[in-house]
Amino acid sequence: MTTDRHGNLVSGATPAAIAHFDAALGLFALYRGDPVATVDQALAEAPAFVMARVLKAYLLALATEPEAAAEAARIVAGARELPMNEREQSHVAALGDLLAGNWTAAAVALELHNARYPRDLLALQAGHLMDFYRASARALRDRIARVLPQWSAATPGYGIVLGMYAFGLEEAGDYARA
């Protein structure tokens, strides 16, 4: 088993697929480019790469379009057929809640997930969006505050996490700290 750029174990991946996954995750977190096309490159390289499937499912499910959600459900069903580690199983369970329309359960599942995997940027980003869509200012702030001690300037994506935290502070009315 290998790891992504944040040190999280991934199943079914190759080094080239992980590079595409990390790039797609960066695009998603920065709201730039085409993360779907980039994660598709990871899946072309390694069709059994569970986290690439998970990322694509989140991208589609969070788009809030019925056709995209249906495609996300197909991706999740395919992922369930693959060998997965506990972190990947946790993501698939959260996606199940999200695709069933239970955004609160999915958001809470990702909060619990990040307690165990604080440097899982995909879980942070997906949970952050769920908090935003649910208009939960406190969760926007606190989700990131809880994991921030596990991040540092030396960690790839630290600026993204700081940006999410600043947004959460602003949404919670703490403009000076934001």
Side-chain angles (χ1 to χ4, degrees):
M1 211 176 277
T2 55
T3 61
D4 65 15
R5 71 187 291 206
H6 298 105
N8 298 298
L9 292 174
V10 295
S11 304
T14 64
I18 292 170
H20 291 302
F21 169 81
D22 286 334
L25 179 54
L27 293 173
F28 174 42
L30 293 171
Y31 305 103
R32 289 191 184 154
D34 188 350
V36 173
T38 306
V39 79
D40 281 343
Q41 292 174 331
L43 289 167
E45 173 70 31
F49 184 2
V50 174
M51 285 306 297
R53 289 174 182 241
V54 165
L55 171 55
K56 186 169 182 178
Y58 277 124
L59 291 167
L60 295 170
L62 291 166
T64 69
E65 296 292 330
E67 298 83 16
E71 178 63 19
R74 286 189 288 277
I75 292 167
V76 169
R80 285 188 175 115
E81 301 294 320
L82 299 171
M84 286 183 263
N85 63 41
E86 286 182 22
R87 182 177 73 95
E88 293 161 341
Q89 290 171 4
S90 177
H91 272 290
V92 168
L95 276 162
D97 288 333
L98 179 63
L99 290 166
N102 194 338
W103 286 63
T104 298
V108 169
L110 288 178
E111 268 192 70
L112 295 171
H113 174 97
N114 279 125
R116 184 155 185 191
Y117 308 102
R119 289 186 24 183
D120 187 336
L121 184 59
L122 178 54
L124 288 172
Q125 181 68 32
H128 190 70
L129 282 169
M130 290 176 206
D131 295 339
F132 178 75
Y133 288 145
R134 296 179 316 115
S136 179
R138 184 170 25 143
L140 279 166
R141 179 195 61 209
D142 294 350
R143 173 184 305 277
I144 307 305
R146 281 190 280 279
V147 302
L148 202 52
Q150 303 301 316
W151 290 76
S152 74
T155 308
Y158 181 62
I160 294 166
V161 175
L162 286 179
M164 284 190 276
Y165 185 50
F167 182 74
L169 288 168
E170 179 272 330
E171 288 294 297
D174 194 345
Y175 302 111
R177 286 181 56 210

